[in-house]
Amino acid sequence: MTGGHPGLRAARGALGSAIFWVGLLFAASLFLLPTLRPLFEWAFPGVEPAVYNRTTFLALWLSHAGLVLVSSLVSALVGIGFALFVTRGAGREFRAAVDSVAGIGQTFPPTTVLAVAVPIVGFGVTPTLIALMLYGLLPIVENAIAGFESVSASVLEAGAGMGLSPLQLFWRVELPLAAPLILTGIRTSVIVNIGTATIGSTVGAVTLGTPIISGLVGEKMPYVIQGTIVVGLFAILTDLVFDRLDQALRSRRNG
Amino acid sequence: MTEAVAANPARGNRVLLVLAGLGWLGMIGAGFVSLAPNRLMSGRPLSLWMVTDWPTLAGITVLGAALLAAAFRPQGKALHRATALIAALLLLLIFFAAGRAAEALSAAAGPVARISLGTAFWLTISCTSLAIVDSFQRLKAGPVLRIGTALAVCASVAVMAAGGVFDALSIMVEYRSHQTSFAHELARHGVLVLGSVGAGLAIGVPLGIKLTSSLRLRGPVFGTLNLLQTVPSVALFGLLIAPLSLLAAAVPALKAFGVEGIGATPALIALTCYALLPIVRYTYSAFSGVDPVVIEAGLGVGFTRGQILWRVSLPLATPVLLAGLRIVLIQSIGLAVVAALIGAGGLGTFVFQGIGQDAVDLVLLGTLPTIFLALATDFTLKSVTSILQQRMAP
Amino acid sequence: MIEIERVVKSYGDRKVVDQVSLTVESGAFCVLLGTSGCGKSTLLKMVNRLIPATEGTIRVGGEDIRGIPAEQLRRRIGYAIQSIGLFPHWNIEDNIATVPRLLKWPEARIRDRVTELLDLFHLDPELYRRKRPSQLSGGQQQRIGVARALAAEPELLLMDEPFGALDPITRDVLQTELARIHKATGTTILFVTHDIDEALRLADRIAIMDSGRLVQHTTPIDLLEHPANDFVRDFIGRSEISLKLLSVRTVAERLRPAERGDGEPIAATAPLREALALMIARGTGRLPVSDAAGHPVGAVLLEDLIQ
């Protein structure tokens, strides 16, 4: 066997993987940015303190990730639920209408959804969550509908004819076959939400956008750069993880 | 736009039932407009019947009841046309009622009072619009009818606005106090969108076409563009500010050309970067989707490669290209709002100012035109695409 | 095995199946034959309750199917359809194992059953069990579809135009295999087709349907010799009847034991059509006949074919 010890081979495989490197950089940015203080002091003289220290980047990231996670979970459940309703039985009549609403909704810029939520529920986490949930719903609904419709009718007929109960048919056949498209929808939703959440700082939510906005408002460029680095790496890392998940799903499907 | 679903048509229209039902519930249970004593305090919601005169109220009730009744009748083309007409009339009447209500309230409450549109208004506007869309889908209405109706409705609202019907509403008050800067920011927004999409097309279309023939480049190009799109917009804007401001500091002459750290330049560059991925992807998809058999036939006839591109591939690729154009324009309209955060101007200025001042109407002054622009672009391009497709496959 | 009593299926005012009564004996191969829209597929799907009957009773193995929970009923019945419907995200073994797993068979027994079925269809078990449906040809997929239907050793097999989407050669091969498997397993088969030749070849009894009604239910030979009405005659093809009879009757029925002939013998079990074809090819009016072991048992004469 080439490569020697299996642990070493695995390590080499990991080293080659983009996820590993980006993940490493991201973790470094979360914890080690303050060590770059001399660099920022040199590049931007006069900015005190040179590294954003109102809150740790770790805390910012946890809050940001928490917002995205909660809203994505809710959107996923509701979105898949809507798609389920609309792809069978009585709900089919609503399919065209749901399509229209989703299409129209996606033309709304995400920032406007956020902006409109504020007068209704106030500042802070609440409007951000609402905006994230509403906006995140749309790609999930569209993709889940496409996913369920991609399951061939003859597969479902064969399954029912063989004696799979409706629940078994859904869980063992329809959902696994629809999964890749559903995952694509969730992926789009999560990535857009990471972006929208950064803007949530303008309405008082604590996110990785906070140093960026604070830097823009107070003309402190280093903060903008620091926030950008962390949130950029976070977004890229998330996308890579989803990519890996997508590959794993597809290879399980096709062997 | 998807095909209409004919569920059991004899049994009625469940979608219309839901929409009409929601509209009724909203009108009864929520505020149509809200009245605030001044700009700083929050408003008191007022129901439709409290603020509307009898004729208008009767009109809305009758039309609303007609829609609800139509949901129970056996469906047919005539009923769908009637439903669309009733819904359109109801839509315009609700707009009218809102304007008149504001007028009446403002006369009574004085110039400092603020009258804004309430939940019931937004809900019924959305429901009636969706009812029109639903009827058109069931009618399988062609683009001409859809465009005609949209233009008629928009024109009617515009006429009402020009006639001063909405002048008492707080959003119009806000508009009047920001009239010049609104025009300025609207223009800025347009420049940001059209400039970035234009630049994106100039770079992206040739790149997309090149990718159809170059397998090697595909991976790296799509990889880089994907990476760019993943990064949140504020971050990308912010990331461009630093180098650009350093550049401007080092070479002051550039400032004369408008290259600064803050401002339109980083926004334009960032917006162009965001525009590139959809443009390249859709161009690639459009041209690689052209049936190779057709291209071979063209070669056989004696066309040069250039002629094939122009006369064969381009017409066939047009629907997909238009879809990509639609998506990139809508994306840019939305992203340009964020550009206000880095001082680039645009409609986002009002949004963020409004958030800062806790002034709803200022926020709406930025949000509503943005949404309208996005919807109008979406609708126009979808109509153009469907007209073209009708021509190509009669 | 199957008792269909005055079954009706209507959608609104439209009767898709109209007062059909039919009995299928245990172990028989019954073909539901007819044109598109005559109700044969609908009738088939009423047997496993994929479509509920509007009126009438259906009994399987003596039990009224309405008294059995639908899933339980379907797990006792094999179901193979034209579009096959193999689960694309599972390999061949998992596909075949679907119903046995639902019935909670022990894994070892399932594994053996999969091997047995793949052998039955002449597919190398070790090579095919891990493959995915997308890696198989249309003919192979349909074999797996039928294997999947047979996996749980059902008493009854329902087949809805299973070979309709295949090319003629594959169809012919699969028909032969199905006939072989029917003989080997003794499963009752209810088979829907619009192809008269397929029906004549495979069926013990043919039930021919038109516009929802059962027109005639009898053996292939009887159908050809005594068609019930003009519809049946036209369906078979009036000018074809005599030729089709030649496909159904065997050499053994026209054998002259005392006679002999020259050249390659023809098997006694071969259809008369094959004898005629050989006679034309060789330019002779007489063929020697042999039995399964190859021993000469007589001859068949052209004049006996024209009877």
Side-chain angles (χ1 to χ4, degrees):
Chain A
M1 264 196 231
T2 55
H5 192 259
L8 205 57
R9 258 186 300 131
R12 245 182 244 150
L15 280 180
S17 123
I19 293 188
F20 177 77
W21 284 112
V22 176
L24 201 59
L25 271 172
F26 172 63
S29 72
L30 273 187
F31 296 102
L32 300 178
L33 265 180
T35 61
L36 291 176
R37 171 195 291 264
L39 180 64
F40 285 110
E41 275 172 351
W42 168 80
F44 298 94
V47 178
E48 259 315 295
V51 176
Y52 185 83
N53 64 1
R54 211 82 75 63
T55 350
T56 63
F57 283 100
L58 180 63
L60 289 172
W61 173 68
L62 283 171
S63 167
H64 193 123
L67 279 172
V68 174
L69 188 66
V70 169
S71 60
S72 297
L73 261 153
V74 173
S75 300
L77 283 170
V78 175
I80 296 178
F82 260 119
L84 271 175
F85 172 65
V86 136
T87 45
R88 61 212 67 219
R92 267 185 241 257
E93 194 178 352
F94 289 86
R95 165 109 164 62
V98 169
D99 251 354
S100 305
V101 173
I104 293 175
Q106 288 209 287
T107 59
F108 283 33
T111 35
T112 56
V113 183
L114 185 61
V116 166
V118 170
I120 304 180
V121 297
F123 279 80
V125 160
T126 323
T128 315
L129 264 178
I130 294 179
L132 290 177
M133 285 193 275
L134 279 179
Y135 207 74
L137 203 55
L138 303 167
I140 295 180
V141 170
E142 275 195 355
N143 277 283
I145 292 180
F148 287 127
E149 292 188 338
S150 75
V151 179
S152 118
S154 55
V155 166
L156 293 175
E157 188 190 331
M162 284 193 295
L164 287 165
S165 72
L167 188 61
Q168 287 167 328
L169 193 60
F170 175 72
W171 195 247
R172 298 196 203 185
V173 179
E174 194 174 0
L175 192 57
L177 288 174
L181 273 171
I182 297 181
L183 191 69
T184 306
I186 297 182
R187 176 182 181 175
T188 309
S189 171
V190 168
I191 299 295
V192 170
N193 274 359
I194 292 180
T196 312
T198 53
I199 307 187
S201 335
T202 56
V203 300
V206 174
T207 73
L208 288 168
T210 312
I212 301 180
I213 306 289
S214 158
L216 284 174
V217 166
E219 291 193 13
K220 300 197 174 181
M221 275 313 301
Y223 296 174
V224 177
I225 298 180
Q226 288 148 18
T228 302
I229 294 177
V230 181
V231 80
L233 285 171
F234 177 41
I236 296 174
L237 183 63
T238 312
D239 195 49
L240 283 172
V241 169
F242 268 105
D243 198 46
R244 197 74 187 69
L245 269 171
D246 182 61
Q247 277 177 22
L249 251 171
R250 281 184 201 276
S251 72
R252 230 169 46 95
R253 265 196 64 182
N254 299 324
Chain B
M1 301 202 181
T2 54
E3 292 300 326
V5 171
N8 194 348
R11 281 215 245 117
N13 185 339
R14 278 206 207 93
V15 179
L16 183 59
L17 181 60
V18 168
L19 290 172
L22 269 177
W24 271 93
L25 283 173
M27 206 56 115
I28 295 176
F32 186 61
V33 293
S34 66
L35 176 63
N38 55 48
R39 198 171 180 257
L40 299 168
M41 302 189 60
S42 44
R44 190 168 54 96
L46 296 167
S47 302
L48 177 68
W49 56 87
M50 296 182 200
V51 297
T52 323
D53 56 28
W54 280 109
T56 319
L57 185 60
I60 293 182
T61 313
V62 167
L63 290 173
L67 273 182
L68 194 57
F72 290 100
R73 305 287 303 142
Q75 302 292 295
K77 282 215 163 182
L79 188 64
H80 292 140
R81 284 200 206 105
T83 310
L85 184 62
I86 296 175
L89 287 174
L90 183 57
L91 179 68
L92 292 173
L93 196 54
I94 293 176
F95 267 104
F96 182 72
R100 282 302 205 98
E103 240 181 84
L105 282 173
S106 142
V112 198
R114 290 283 188 254
I115 302 128
S116 46
L117 299 160
T119 313
F121 173 81
W122 294 115
L123 190 59
T124 44
I125 292 295
S126 312
C127 289
T128 43
S129 311
L130 283 173
I132 301 176
V133 171
D134 179 63
S135 302
F136 280 167
Q137 272 169 348
R138 286 169 198 258
L139 274 175
K140 301 203 190 8
V144 177
L145 183 57
R146 293 183 202 248
I147 296 177
T149 314
L151 280 177
V153 169
C154 290
S156 311
V157 176
V159 163
M160 282 195 265
V165 170
F166 305 122
D167 280 351
L169 284 166
S170 52
I171 185 172
M172 289 307 278
V173 173
E174 206 72 50
Y175 169 67
R176 281 196 297 277
S177 49
H178 290 93
Q179 208 158 350
T180 27
S181 62
F182 182 81
H184 176 78
E185 300 301 354
L186 184 62
R188 278 289 217 139
H189 203 105
V191 166
L192 283 171
V193 172
L194 293 173
S196 59
V197 173
L201 286 172
I203 303 175
V205 172
L207 186 56
I209 296 180
K210 183 79 175 69
L211 285 183
T212 57
S213 48
S214 166
L215 184 61
R216 241 181 344 114
L217 283 177
R218 249 173 256 167
V221 170
F222 278 125
T224 321
L225 291 179
N226 253 308
L227 204 71
L228 275 174
Q229 269 242 332
T230 313
V231 176
S233 50
V234 189
L236 195 61
F237 287 172
L239 206 51
L240 286 171
I241 291 182
L244 281 175
S245 62
L246 286 175
L247 197 62
V251 187
L254 284 174
K255 266 221 175 110
F257 285 96
V259 176
E260 309 176 76
I262 306 276
T265 320
L268 264 173
I269 299 179
L271 285 171
T272 308
C273 290
Y274 278 117
L276 278 176
L277 180 64
I279 290 178
V280 172
R281 194 189 277 154
Y282 274 86
T283 309
Y284 170 74
S285 202
F287 282 99
S288 64
V290 175
D291 195 344
V293 171
V294 176
I295 299 196
E296 216 181 289
L299 282 171
V301 168
F303 282 149
T304 65
R305 285 263 168 206
Q307 283 173 322
I308 290 192
L309 190 65
W310 193 244
R311 297 215 210 174
V312 178
S313 304
L314 188 57
L316 288 175
T318 304
V320 181
L321 286 175
L322 281 177
L325 184 66
R326 190 185 90 232
I327 289 182
V328 84
L329 277 172
I330 292 175
Q331 180 190 274
S332 301
I333 292 174
L335 280 176
V337 171
V338 183
L341 279 176
I342 60 167
L347 291 167
T349 321
F350 300 115
V351 175
F352 292 110
Q353 267 180 25
I355 291 178
Q357 298 173 16
D358 198 12
V360 187
D361 298 301
L362 203 49
V363 173
L364 283 178
L365 191 62
T367 329
L368 288 177
T370 314
I371 295 178
F372 179 74
L373 273 176
L375 284 174
T377 314
D378 186 58
F379 180 75
T380 312
L381 279 168
K382 276 206 178 122
S383 307
V384 169
T385 310
S386 92
I387 291 180
L388 273 173
Q389 278 177 324
Q390 268 187 356
R391 291 255 215 94
M392 283 219 289
Chain C
M1 172 90 271
I2 311 178
E3 291 152 53
I4 299 174
E5 273 175 36
R6 284 197 294 278
V7 161
V8 174
K9 178 65 191 170
S10 35
Y11 292 105
D13 302 329
R14 205 166 47 103
K15 283 212 171 106
V16 173
V17 173
D18 192 357
Q19 296 284 346
V20 172
S21 294
L22 180 62
T23 309
V24 180
E25 310 281 320
S26 187
F29 195 129
C30 175
V31 173
L32 292 178
L33 181 65
T35 54
S36 304
C38 70
K40 55 194 194 297
S41 287
T42 311
L43 185 63
L44 187 81
K45 290 190 210 180
M46 287 200 271
V47 176
N48 66 0
R49 282 178 66 183
L50 278 179
I51 296 179
T54 316
E55 283 171 43
T57 316
I58 301 182
R59 268 185 277 273
V60 169
E63 290 175 74
D64 186 335
I65 59 173
R66 276 171 306 203
I68 312 173
E71 276 99 52
Q72 245 184 58
L73 174 70
R74 292 175 197 152
R75 290 172 199 177
R76 285 164 44 187
I77 300 179
Y79 185 54
I81 54 179
Q82 184 176 118
S83 45
I84 311 168
L86 290 179
F87 302 132
H89 59 311
W90 288 353
N91 63 22
I92 298 305
E93 172 148 19
D94 291 330
N95 262 284
I96 297 179
T98 310
V99 184
R101 288 221 175 103
L102 283 176
L103 294 172
K104 309 245 197 292
W105 284 19
E107 277 302 313
R109 184 177 172 203
I110 295 181
R111 227 172 307 134
D112 290 337
R113 181 71 177 145
V114 171
T115 313
E116 188 186 334
L117 283 166
L118 286 170
D119 275 330
L120 192 62
F121 281 93
H122 301 317
L123 293 169
D124 180 348
E126 290 322 304
L127 188 57
Y128 280 91
R129 64 197 321 143
R130 301 248 170 280
K131 281 193 190 262
R132 297 277 170 147
S134 54
Q135 298 171 286
L136 267 49
S137 71
Q140 287 167 332
Q141 282 185 22
Q142 190 51 286
R143 281 189 182 88
I144 302 298
V146 181
R148 185 177 61 169
L150 289 170
E153 292 162 354
E155 42 196 358
L156 169 61
L157 182 57
L158 300 178
M159 307 182 83
D160 195 349
E161 308 207 49
F163 308 140
L166 302 170
D167 64 87
I169 296 178
T170 314
R171 202 183 308 151
D172 188 72
V173 170
L174 288 185
Q175 283 167 357
T176 312
E177 281 194 24
L178 186 61
R180 176 173 56 85
I181 288 169
H182 175 236
K183 262 201 202 43
T185 59
T187 317
T188 314
I189 299 184
L190 186 57
F191 187 105
V192 164
T193 181
H194 61 270
D195 182 353
I196 176 81
D197 293 312
E198 187 169 52
L200 290 171
R201 184 171 174 198
L202 294 173
D204 292 332
R205 310 257 292 178
I206 298 180
I208 186 165
M209 287 179 69
D210 177 34
S211 306
R213 292 185 162 267
L214 179 62
V215 175
Q216 193 172 4
H217 179 208
T218 180
T219 62
I221 292 191
D222 192 46
L223 188 76
L224 290 168
E225 288 186 330
H226 308 112
N229 59 19
D230 282 340
F231 168 76
V232 181
R233 258 185 283 269
D234 286 328
F235 192 90
I236 302 170
R238 287 176 191 253
S239 53
E240 299 286 306
I241 295 186
S242 42
L243 286 174
K244 296 216 196 285
L245 275 168
L246 285 181
S247 304
V248 172
R249 294 209 173 93
T250 59
V251 168
E253 294 173 51
R254 296 281 182 268
L255 180 66
R256 291 203 192 191
E259 303 279 350
R260 286 290 178 269
D262 302 313
E264 238 349 278
I266 184 173
T269 50
L272 286 177
R273 201 168 120 261
E274 208 179 302
L276 179 62
L278 272 175
M279 288 181 192
I280 295 175
R282 292 186 198 166
T284 172
R286 165 191 294 263
L287 288 177
V289 181
S290 66
D291 64 13
H295 304 131
V297 291
V300 63
L301 271 55
L302 181 58
E303 53 203 74
D304 293 335
L305 264 51
I306 312 171
Q307 263 201 15

